[in-house]
Amino acid sequence: MSSVIASTPFSVLDRSRTREGHPPAEALRDTVRLAREAEELGYHRFWVSEHHGVPGVAGSAPTVLAAAVASATRTIRVGTGGVMLPNHQPLVVAEQFGVLESLFPGRIDMGLGRSVGFTDGVRKALGRDKDDADDFAGQLDELIGWFRGTSPTGAHARPSEGLSVPPFVLAMGEGADIAARAGLPMVIGDLRDRDKMRRGIDHYRARFRPSPWTAEPYVVISGTIAVAATPEAARRLLVPEAWSMAYSRTHGTFPPLPPAERVEQLAMTEREFGFYESGLTGQLAGTEEQVAHELETVLKETAADEVLVTTSTYDREALLDSYRRLASLMG
């Protein structure tokens, strides 16, 4: 067993991906079931995501789903990966996490991202536009201020004020710089572009300023990891998500996950096939031995403090088997 893998916490982000032939409600129930399994397998955290108006994702209200996950588990940390702060008023976000922390003390994480709605229509419905992401640093500062009771409005966030809910910044683009200046842990992906990931991590560590939340830089690397009995079976786990991403890049909408066998019979255009192959390339996929070797290399290259696994696939039993096989490497 690799000592670097055994000493690294592993966590799960499940995006509540919808599947062809299955209702969205089932995706949410699948997420809660997976959280119970992840807890039994020894994973450190279980996070859920925020997407609006996306046919392929049922998780549109992450704090609500986090409450369901936390109530169905006992010990695993539960959080968001993430709440997209530009979509919301920071006071409301503070109140939601204050309620979560009050109900499940010592188990809640506040993962925060700077993305806004996926399409113009969604942004209009949310009352937001692309420029709202530009003030993410200010929104983050305001949000943390509600927990400290330092809002210049004179108002107070109840029951949040005085509580400690660890914030994490999802580093996309300038997110690494924002996380460093705020002195917060950073979540960075993806594993397919190791050079870009290392540059982001180096940038974060070089500019990190200690804060009451975090005394030293804390790096969580995130991405797809698929483990199976054979390399071919592991690759098939990647097929549904790779096709869904390729379809979104060529058709402008992110669809439910199709079965791998249907994808393998599709006739693709040259452009679709290029995006599809790109989605299959560079992921951590293979047998336990192969994935352990790749993981050890990545962890040594990045000196990451934690790994957040974001794998999605059509076959939920195969997905659970993958998480079980990965857990066997964790010790």
Side-chain angles (χ1 to χ4, degrees):
M1 182 184 298
S2 164
S3 60
V4 67
I5 294 174
S7 63
T8 301
F10 280 71
S11 299
V12 177
L13 167 64
D14 192 68
R15 289 181 291 141
S16 305
R17 291 288 274 115
T18 58
R19 298 180 292 157
E20 286 185 359
H22 297 262
E26 187 175 335
L28 297 171
R29 292 192 290 268
D30 284 341
T31 291
V32 176
R33 279 193 290 267
L34 182 60
R36 291 196 196 103
E37 296 282 356
E39 180 175 75
E40 290 184 12
L41 291 169
Y43 286 91
H44 183 50
R45 311 178 199 275
F46 191 94
W47 283 5
V48 296
S49 64
E50 174 182 339
H51 296 270
H52 298 283
V54 180
V57 185
S60 56
T63 53
V64 177
L65 185 52
V69 168
S71 66
T73 54
R74 295 177 298 105
T75 56
I76 195 169
R77 296 195 64 87
V78 177
T80 55
V83 164
M84 296 302 149
L85 197 49
N87 289 339
H88 310 281
Q89 291 296 333
L91 169 61
V92 176
V93 175
E95 290 171 336
Q96 290 172 346
F97 279 99
V99 170
L100 284 170
E101 176 64 20
S102 299
L103 293 172
F104 310 100
R107 291 180 56 203
I108 301 300
D109 299 323
M110 187 166 59
L112 305 161
R114 64 186 296 270
S115 296
V116 287
F118 190 60
T119 64
D120 289 339
V122 169
R123 286 190 291 271
K124 184 177 180 181
L126 290 169
R128 298 293 187 267
D129 58 46
K130 290 181 179 179
D131 294 340
D132 286 311
D134 296 340
D135 191 35
F136 178 64
Q139 295 158 351
L140 185 62
D141 188 57
E142 180 184 342
L143 173 60
I144 290 172
W146 287 114
F147 287 92
R148 292 179 177 163
T150 57
S151 171
T153 64
H156 298 271
R158 309 291 187 202
S160 315
E161 191 172 306
L163 297 180
S164 180
V165 183
F168 294 73
V169 173
L170 277 61
M172 299 172 65
E174 65 182 88
D177 196 52
I178 292 170
R181 291 200 309 267
L184 298 178
M186 176 185 73
V187 183
I188 187 168
D190 64 49
L191 294 168
R192 288 179 300 169
D193 193 339
R194 311 283 173 79
D195 289 339
K196 184 179 179 181
M197 178 184 279
R198 281 195 299 268
R199 288 195 301 271
I201 292 170
D202 291 344
H203 183 89
Y204 166 72
R205 288 188 174 127
R207 289 160 176 77
F208 183 85
R209 299 194 304 218
S211 74
W213 297 98
T214 314
E216 296 179 346
Y218 191 90
V219 174
V220 182
I221 57 172
S222 69
T224 295
I225 303 176
V227 195
T230 65
E232 295 75 22
R235 178 183 164 90
R236 292 192 89 231
L237 279 168
L238 306 177
V239 164
E241 186 74 25
W243 166 245
S244 190
M245 290 296 295
Y247 190 91
S248 73
R249 297 289 296 273
T250 52
H251 294 77
T253 183
F254 197 60
L257 294 174
E261 53 269 23
R262 187 173 82 74
V263 175
E264 291 167 343
Q265 295 171 358
L266 288 174
M268 301 184 200
T269 66
E270 184 176 345
R271 188 161 179 260
E272 286 171 340
F273 187 72
F275 285 127
Y276 173 67
E277 281 291 302
S278 175
L280 295 173
T281 304
Q283 310 280 19
L284 268 63
T287 63
E288 288 94 322
E289 184 178 359
Q290 290 170 324
V291 168
H293 175 73
E294 281 285 311
L295 264 176
E296 188 165 18
T297 299
V298 173
L299 288 170
K300 287 179 177 178
E301 286 178 351
T302 61
D305 300 285
E306 187 174 335
V307 178
L308 180 67
V309 187
T310 64
T311 312
S312 296
T313 194
Y314 180 89
D315 187 337
R316 296 294 294 193
E317 281 304 312
L319 177 65
L320 178 55
D321 181 65
S322 176
Y323 276 117
R324 286 186 184 125
R325 291 174 184 272
L326 179 58
S328 73
L329 304 178
M330 293 157 33

